[in-house]
Structure formats: C-alpha cells, structure tokens
C-alpha cells in the first residue's frame, strides 16, 4: 500500500527526471564552450534564465524567429521581475505586517486589494517591501501613488517606486514619498504608464 508521502513524491520525481533529461539535452547540443553563461551566473535565478536561453537555441525553438523573439521577451520580463524583487529587499511576511500595523490578515488583504499596500506574490502567499512602512505605519501618500498608477501589476508599481527621476530631485519615487514630496510623486505615478515605461 502506498503512503501519502510516496504519492506526493511521484510528481516531484517525474519533474526532476524530466528536468535532468532536458538539461542533458541542452548541454549535449550546446557543448562545453557555450556553457560559460551558466558557469558565470551569480545565483539560481540567473542560472535558470541562462539555461532557458540556451534551451531556446539548443532545442530547436530558434527555427521559428517569431516564437524565439516571444520567448526572449518573456525572459527579459522575468529577469526584470527578479531584479525588482532583489531591489525591493528587505521584505516582510504577512504576519510581520499584521504585527507592525496591529491589524488582522483580512485587513492586510483588504489594504492590498484597495491599493493601500504593495504586496509581491511569493509562492502561495505574498511579501511586502519594507520601504513602504515608517514609524509603525504606512508611508503617507502610498495609497494615492498606487491608485494613481492605474495598474494591477505589483511589479509595475514596484518599478515606479524604485525609479529615480529629476522630478524627485534624482531620488527614487519611494525616497521622495518618504521625504514628504507627496504631490510630485502622485503626479509622476499618474503619468508613468503613458510615458513608455
């Protein structure tokens, strides 16, 4: 009789086996000289991005130029999200935000839904960039900025908050907001998506 643990391990084993075979095919087609991007990658995310780029070429996707460009565009998007995640550190878990603000998980969820807090997806939960909190509360004006961006993408919002601009005296949007420059940051948020960002 199979135990729950063994049943749960079957998909994991199948996935790992497929990954190993796929990676062996990539290495075989690429050859030693082409593996330098993998060897010089600085972290796991970078390694997987480079492996995916090699897979696009090695496994025949390159035959279709349009599809290859689409895959490359997706990879650039994923790489940008990984960069933004790194730049957003440190982040707080949901429980830490509840403790900090003195509210329930449901209240935190509602604040995210109403664009009063910025949350990034992480597994089945989410994390909250610590820069949006100050003195036991949320940085003043953050909700207006998030609403002004008119996007449901937390990564677009994150990109704006971490963007540096002469309009904010060469500070990032979040630095300007923390310094009390609410009006210019809200104004910048409203124009962010219409200026090719």
């Amino acid at each position: 009789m199979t135990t729950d643990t063994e049943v749960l391990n079957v998909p994991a084993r199948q996935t790992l086996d497929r990954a190993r075979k796929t990676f062996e095919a990539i290495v075989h087609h690429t050859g030693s000289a082409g593996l330098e991007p993998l060897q010089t990658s600085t972290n796991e995310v970078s390694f997987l991005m480079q492996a995916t780029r090699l897979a696009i070429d090695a496994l025949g996707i390159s035959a279709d130029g349009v599809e290859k460009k689409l895959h490359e565009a997706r990879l650039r998007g994923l790489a940008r999200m990984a960069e933004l995640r790194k730049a957003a550190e440190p982040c707080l878990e949901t429980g830490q935000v509840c403790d900090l603000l003195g509210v329930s998980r449901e209240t935190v969820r509602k604040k995210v839904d109403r664009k009063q807090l910025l949350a990034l997806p992480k597994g089945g939960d989410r994390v909250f960039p610590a820069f949006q909190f100050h003195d036991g509360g949320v940085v003043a004006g953050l909700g207006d900025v998030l609403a002004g961006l008119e996007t449901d993408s937390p990564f677009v919002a994150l990109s704006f908050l971490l963007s540096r601009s002469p309009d904010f005296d060469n500070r990032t949007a979040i630095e300007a907001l923390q310094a009390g420059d609410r009006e210019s940051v809200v104004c910048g948020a409203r124009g962010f998506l219409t200026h090719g960002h």
Side-chain angles (χ1 to χ4, degrees):
M1 182 175 172
T2 2
T3 67
D4 286 346
T5 308
E6 287 171 337
V7 172
L8 288 172
N9 283 337
V10 169
R13 282 199 305 267
Q14 290 172 338
T15 301
L16 287 171
D17 190 48
R18 182 177 180 186
R20 182 182 54 77
K21 287 177 181 171
T22 303
F23 201 73
E24 283 174 357
I26 294 167
V27 170
H28 175 75
H29 282 91
T30 303
S32 301
L35 295 177
E36 187 182 347
L38 292 178
Q39 294 171 316
T40 57
S41 60
T42 54
N43 57 50
E44 289 81 358
V45 172
S46 172
F47 180 88
L48 289 172
M49 294 287 182
Q50 293 300 337
T52 306
R53 284 193 174 90
L54 290 176
I56 289 170
D57 291 328
L59 303 181
I61 298 171
S62 56
D64 184 341
V66 173
E67 191 174 355
K68 182 177 179 181
K69 285 179 183 174
L70 184 61
H71 283 297
E72 287 288 351
R74 285 180 182 144
L75 277 176
R76 283 194 299 274
L78 288 172
R80 177 63 180 147
M81 282 196 284
E83 287 168 12
L84 286 168
R85 276 187 185 278
K86 185 74 179 163
E89 292 177 352
C91 287
L92 305 178
E93 302 287 336
T94 304
Q96 293 173 300
V97 174
C98 292
D99 292 343
L100 178 69
L101 301 180
V103 297
S104 66
R105 283 180 173 267
E106 178 63 13
T107 300
V108 169
R109 186 191 65 75
K110 285 179 179 173
K111 285 181 177 293
V112 173
D113 290 347
R114 293 175 185 153
K115 297 185 179 178
Q116 297 168 339
L117 276 179
L118 174 63
L120 305 176
K122 183 185 178 185
D125 198 6
R126 40 189 160 199
V127 292
F128 300 79
F131 60 62
Q132 65 190 309
F133 304 105
H134 180 68
D135 285 342
V138 180
V139 171
L142 181 71
D144 295 333
V145 171
L146 294 176
L149 284 165
E150 294 184 357
T151 180
D152 290 327
S153 167
F155 290 101
V156 170
L158 184 57
S159 179
F160 172 73
L161 289 169
L162 296 176
S163 65
R164 202 169 288 280
S165 168
D167 295 337
F168 315 139
D169 296 325
N170 290 318
R171 295 171 295 185
T172 63
I174 190 62
E175 287 169 345
L177 197 61
Q178 289 165 341
D181 196 359
R182 183 176 182 159
E183 193 175 326
S184 64
V185 179
V186 171
C187 184
R190 289 183 182 139
F192 187 64
L193 292 175
T194 58
H195 290 97
H197 295 282

